[in-house]
Amino acid sequence: MSGFDRRIIIFIFLFISAHSISSEEGKTSFSFSVSPSLIAGSGFEYVFSTDSHIRSKLDWPLLPAGGLTADTEFKLKNGLYFSFISSFIIPAYSGQIFDYDYLNPYDSSMLTHFSEHKAYVKKGLDLNLNIGFMKLLVEYKTSSDKKIRVSCAPSIGIRYILNAWDAVDGYTKYPPDTNPPSPVLPDTPTISVAGLGISYKQSFILPSVGVLFRFELPRKWKIDLSTQLCPSAIGFAEDFHYKREDGGLKFVDVFKKKNLSFYLYLSAEKRLSKHFSFFSSIDYTSITAYHGKLFAYYLKSGILKSSSSTGSVGAALYSTRINLGFIFHIVK
């Protein structure tokens, strides 16, 4: 049994324990919101040498991207709760993509190739499902006879993230071929590139454990602070290079182990009436997947060209999302 499996079993035991000792009176509630989103960050694509130095790095931007986020939460009287968040990015221009190569075997920090292109995010999807038990930790009254309640909810969850970009137009700066490769210099010739050059798609499956702290404050304010940790992210990436040799190449990267991700979430909510609230939230996602295996295919024929050992490729995603909107409530 892996370490992550053992942690899942421990969290399930905590859920059962929290449920069995919870005795406070509660209410069944349902809440739903749809809000505009602003997402800023970058997806990264890496190729590593055998000594773990970066040979190639592509920076795919979200600077920023607009979208929509839908958030649903269902909580039972006994404290069991379900939450599901779905977020979508609206396809649009998202910044400039930068492609760096470090191919000199004697100087791993030497930039030997560089290119810059317009980046368009073509698809963005984020689905996050969590199940947990909400338990009241403390409740007390202020000097003005107002109640403050602090609750805690350990949880387990699963998250799926998919982002896809196109690189269009731009330019390259490639020095003349030498052995060893020469550096990119200010006077290195610039060659313009027209049309679609690269398409990149990365997806992650993130089983996680987490905890939510909920603060119910006077004047009908509520603050949520939560985190999720995934010590074993599963990833998959596809990279289409349309202008490479033999009609183009397709690279497929698979990430299965020794990866890490975490998620932080903070929201503030003001209850306006029995059924409506106004809220704002911010969250941060960090995903690092460096232990990938590469498969290269000829784009036209689909024939396998080559493959590499585990650890030769990597991917990462770092992003922040801001939401602002209204929540609809049903309480029984």
Side-chain angles (χ1 to χ4, degrees):
M1 182 182 294
S2 69
F4 182 70
D5 293 335
R6 286 193 292 269
R7 283 187 283 269
I8 290 292
I9 292 174
I10 291 172
F11 262 71
I12 292 173
F13 175 76
L14 289 174
F15 296 158
I16 296 172
S17 300
H19 179 252
S20 64
I21 65 177
S22 177
S23 61
E24 69 271 14
E25 291 286 332
K27 295 181 179 180
T28 298
S29 64
F30 171 81
S31 62
F32 175 75
S33 69
V34 177
S35 59
S37 306
L38 188 66
I39 302 108
S42 289
F44 291 91
E45 177 185 359
Y46 298 98
V47 177
F48 298 104
S49 59
T50 54
D51 55 0
S52 298
H53 286 109
I54 294 176
R55 287 176 53 86
S56 179
K57 180 179 75 171
L58 284 80
D59 180 354
W60 295 90
L62 295 169
L63 299 174
L68 292 173
T69 298
D71 188 348
T72 302
E73 181 181 283
F74 183 67
K75 185 165 74 72
L76 301 178
K77 292 180 180 180
N78 61 8
L80 178 67
Y81 86 95
F82 305 85
S83 70
F84 179 67
I85 300 174
S86 56
S87 185
F88 308 89
I89 293 177
I90 299 172
Y93 170 76
S94 63
Q96 297 293 111
I97 169 189
F98 302 103
D99 185 353
Y100 309 88
D101 287 343
Y102 306 90
L103 304 181
N104 191 307
Y106 305 105
D107 186 353
S108 60
S109 64
M110 178 187 293
L111 180 64
T112 58
H113 297 86
F114 174 78
S115 67
E116 179 179 352
H117 314 273
K118 296 177 183 178
Y120 293 86
V121 59
K122 305 299 291 183
K123 184 181 297 184
L125 175 63
D126 186 346
L127 306 176
N128 195 350
L129 173 67
N130 287 276
I131 303 173
F133 279 105
M134 184 77 69
K135 176 173 175 56
L136 181 67
L137 293 181
V138 62
E139 178 179 340
Y140 61 93
K141 292 183 179 181
T142 66
S143 57
S144 58
D145 205 33
K146 301 290 186 180
K147 286 185 179 181
I148 295 177
R149 295 164 56 94
V150 180
S151 302
C152 176
S155 66
I156 57 175
I158 185 87
R159 189 178 181 191
Y160 174 74
I161 297 177
L162 167 67
N163 290 308
W165 294 266
D166 282 346
V168 179
D169 300 335
Y171 67 91
T172 63
K173 294 192 73 171
Y174 292 172
D177 289 336
T178 59
N179 189 13
S182 302
V184 174
L185 300 173
D187 60 352
T188 299
T190 298
I191 300 177
S192 296
V193 177
L196 177 63
I198 308 172
S199 293
Y200 179 63
K201 177 174 68 176
Q202 60 176 203
S203 57
F204 300 98
I205 300 173
L206 310 167
S208 66
V209 293
V211 62
L212 164 69
F213 291 97
R214 176 162 293 172
F215 304 86
E216 297 173 75
L217 306 175
R219 301 182 183 275
K220 298 182 179 180
W221 279 97
K222 183 175 73 175
I223 295 176
D224 282 355
L225 175 63
S226 69
T227 183
Q228 296 171 13
L229 176 65
C230 173
S232 186
I234 302 168
F236 178 82
E238 287 185 327
D239 188 9
F240 297 85
H241 286 253
Y242 301 105
K243 299 182 183 297
R244 293 285 292 269
E245 66 272 17
D246 301 313
L249 296 175
K250 172 185 175 182
F251 301 94
V252 177
D253 307 332
V254 180
F255 316 97
K256 293 183 178 180
K257 59 182 180 178
K258 296 182 180 179
N259 305 310
L260 177 67
S261 76
F262 67 89
Y263 171 75
L264 298 174
Y265 175 85
L266 175 65
S267 71
E269 177 186 334
K270 170 67 173 177
R271 197 66 172 254
L272 303 176
S273 68
K274 180 180 179 180
H275 296 295
F276 290 98
S277 298
F278 175 78
F279 85 100
S280 63
S281 68
I282 183 170
D283 62 75
Y284 175 73
T285 295
S286 173
I287 302 172
T288 302
Y290 283 174
H291 296 267
K293 187 172 183 178
L294 170 69
F295 301 88
Y297 299 87
Y298 293 105
L299 194 55
K300 287 187 175 180
S301 65
I303 296 174
L304 179 67
K305 177 178 183 288
S306 62
S307 63
S308 66
S309 59
T310 300
S312 60
V313 291
L317 176 67
Y318 310 107
S319 66
T320 298
R321 178 174 54 201
I322 299 173
N323 289 287
L324 197 68
F326 293 91
I327 303 174
F328 173 70
H329 300 272
I330 298 175
V331 180
K332 292 186 178 181

